[in-house]
């Protein structure tokens, strides 16, 4: 039987299969390791790339007056 199954290596010691295998207990198997993501998977994006893509709208001075806007202290210019 030949089957391709994706797995994640944890703590450099054990593999966690993404789907169950129909094998008897203590079955001996041969494993071929191919490192990397699935060929069709999109490359990972950084958090900043994701946030920039959201096109959020907010006050122009949010970075300098964050606490004022968050807690409503003082004049927020609105």
């Amino acid at each position: 039987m030949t089957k391709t199954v994706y797995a994640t290596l944890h703590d450099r010691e054990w593999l966690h299969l993404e789907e169950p295998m129909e094998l008897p207990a203590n079955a001996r198997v041969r494993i071929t390791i191919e490192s990397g993501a699935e060929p069709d998977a999109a490359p990972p994006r950084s958090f900043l790339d994701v946030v920039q893509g959201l096109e959020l709208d907010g006050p122009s001075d949010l970075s300098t007056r964050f606490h004022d806007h968050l807690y409503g202290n003082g004049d927020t210019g609105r």
Side-chain angles (χ1 to χ4, degrees), residues 11-60:
D11 299 325
R12 296 185 179 179
E13 292 186 20
W14 56 277
L15 292 170
H16 176 79
L17 302 178
E18 293 182 6
E19 59 185 76
M21 296 284 300
E22 299 284 334
L23 294 170
N26 301 315
R28 186 168 187 243
V29 298
R30 179 175 57 182
I31 298 175
T32 302
I33 304 294
E34 182 180 319
S35 180
E38 299 176 34
D40 296 338
R45 296 172 57 198
S46 74
F47 171 76
L48 293 176
D49 288 338
V50 171
V51 171
Q52 283 180 330
L54 295 176
E55 299 180 17
L56 299 173
D57 187 27
S60 60

